Amino acid sequence: NPPSKPNKKTIKQRLLKLLPCCRSGSSPSINQSNITDEAELSTVCYRPEGLDRLVQQTNFSKKELQVLYRGFKNECPSGVVNEETFKSIYSQFFPHGDSSMYAHFLFEAFDTHNNGAVSFEDFVISLSIILRGSITDKLHWAFNLYDLNKDGCITREEMTDIMHSIYDMMGKYTHPSMKDNAPKEHVDNFFQKMDKNNDGVVTIEEFLETCQKV
């Protein structure tokens, strides 16, 4: 068989690593098989100042950023991802469920400028935190995802919306099957552990304190 063409699913593979929320395990490295020779990389135009800045802002090397950028541009030639495209990419991983609401929440977490579009810079900075950030950085990112209205605290309603979106995304054909009241049980458990002063909301301080306990 002839050698396969460069993988055009780079962005999809990166998105897949976000499921269903941040993980604090070891940081995977960019697959070296995705890095082609220098001649091919040189055919992609970059802004050196922008790339050098991203090397400083992220935990990726320049070559890794080039690979990610090529995959990003393959999926999104315009250079930005709108919410519709983001949802379309995300839905491919959950053919038996409805991922649209969770993808909406995730898109808003990536859309740091609140302009309805995720640029490569937005994407790779968040990706760096999720894959290679410190535990504290990852927890801050997760808190921001769950804090739907970005007011600095997580309400029971927000966490309920998040949990329902995750269960909708996983679909009805999971094994073992999930109980109808499972989202509520997860929310109740979340607040029992996190809401230290029982005021009905979880602050970033409460969230960090609970998650960082050994």
Side-chain angles (χ1 to χ4, degrees), residues 156 159-160 163 167 181-196 198 202 207 210-211:
R156 184 173 288 271
M159 202 64 209
T160 298
M163 292 311 304
Y167 277 80
N181 64 339
K184 182 180 184 302
E185 289 180 356
H186 274 85
V187 172
D188 289 343
N189 187 50
F190 177 87
F191 273 84
Q192 183 180 356
K193 290 181 177 179
M194 299 277 183
D195 186 12
K196 300 297 185 182
N198 297 310
V202 174
F207 187 77
T210 304
C211 291

Side-chain angles (χ1 to χ4, degrees), residues 9 13 15 25 37 44 51 66 69 76 91 101 109 121 124 127 134-135 138 145 166 169-171 207:
K9 296 183 180 179
Q13 293 170 342
L15 287 174
D37 58 32
V44 184
L51 197 61
Q66 289 173 329
Y69 183 73
C76 312
S91 67
M101 186 54 67
E121 288 78 6
V124 80
L127 191 66
S134 67
I135 297 298
K138 290 179 181 181
L145 171 64
I166 291 174
M169 178 174 64
M170 300 309 293
F207 187 77

Side-chain angles (χ1 to χ4, degrees), residues 33-189:
S33 65
N34 286 336
I35 300 180
T36 55
D37 58 32
E38 294 295 334
E40 182 172 2
L41 286 175
S42 67
T43 64
V44 184
C45 295
Y46 302 97
R47 293 175 299 167
E49 69 279 7
L51 197 61
D52 289 338
R53 185 176 66 251
L54 284 175
V55 170
Q56 298 299 319
Q57 291 177 318
T58 69
N59 294 312
F60 294 125
S61 68
K62 182 176 287 189
K63 179 160 287 189
E64 287 173 331
L65 287 168
Q66 289 173 329
V67 171
L68 286 169
Y69 183 73
R70 187 176 66 243
F72 190 91
K73 288 287 285 184
N74 282 340
E75 292 291 342
C76 312
S78 67
V80 295
V81 183
N82 60 27
E83 185 170 343
E84 182 180 357
T85 301
F86 191 90
K87 287 181 177 179
S88 176
I89 293 172
Y90 214 70
S91 67
Q92 297 177 44
F93 300 114
F94 302 94
H96 300 298
D98 180 3
S99 64
S100 59
M101 186 54 67
Y102 186 80
H104 167 71
F105 296 146
L106 196 59
F107 180 84
E108 291 196 329
F110 273 89
D111 181 16
T112 56
H113 295 97
N114 300 313
N115 60 1
V118 174
S119 66
F120 176 68
E121 288 78 6
D122 295 330
F123 175 71
V124 80
I125 288 172
S126 286
L127 191 66
S128 174
I129 293 172
I130 294 165
L131 296 182
R132 297 181 179 176
S134 67
I135 297 298
T136 300
D137 288 342
K138 290 179 181 181
L139 290 174
H140 272 280
W141 199 93
F143 184 90
N144 182 64
L145 171 64
Y146 300 147
D147 178 15
L148 299 181
N149 66 357
K150 314 307 178 193
D151 67 348
C153 61
I154 300 171
T155 65
R156 184 173 288 271
E157 291 74 18
E158 287 174 324
M159 202 64 209
T160 298
D161 288 345
I162 287 286
M163 292 311 304
H164 275 294
S165 73
I166 291 174
Y167 277 80
D168 288 345
M169 178 174 64
M170 300 309 293
K172 298 181 179 180
Y173 303 102
T174 57
H175 181 79
S177 60
M178 293 177 288
K179 299 178 182 178
D180 290 340
N181 64 339
K184 182 180 184 302
E185 289 180 356
H186 274 85
V187 172
D188 289 343
N189 187 50

Side-chain angles (χ1 to χ4, degrees), residues 13-33:
Q13 293 170 342
R14 298 305 118 198
L15 287 174
L16 185 58
K17 292 183 180 294
L18 310 183
L19 309 181
C21 60
C22 305
R23 296 188 177 93
S24 58
S26 59
S27 302
S29 60
I30 303 300
N31 193 329
Q32 290 300 309
S33 65

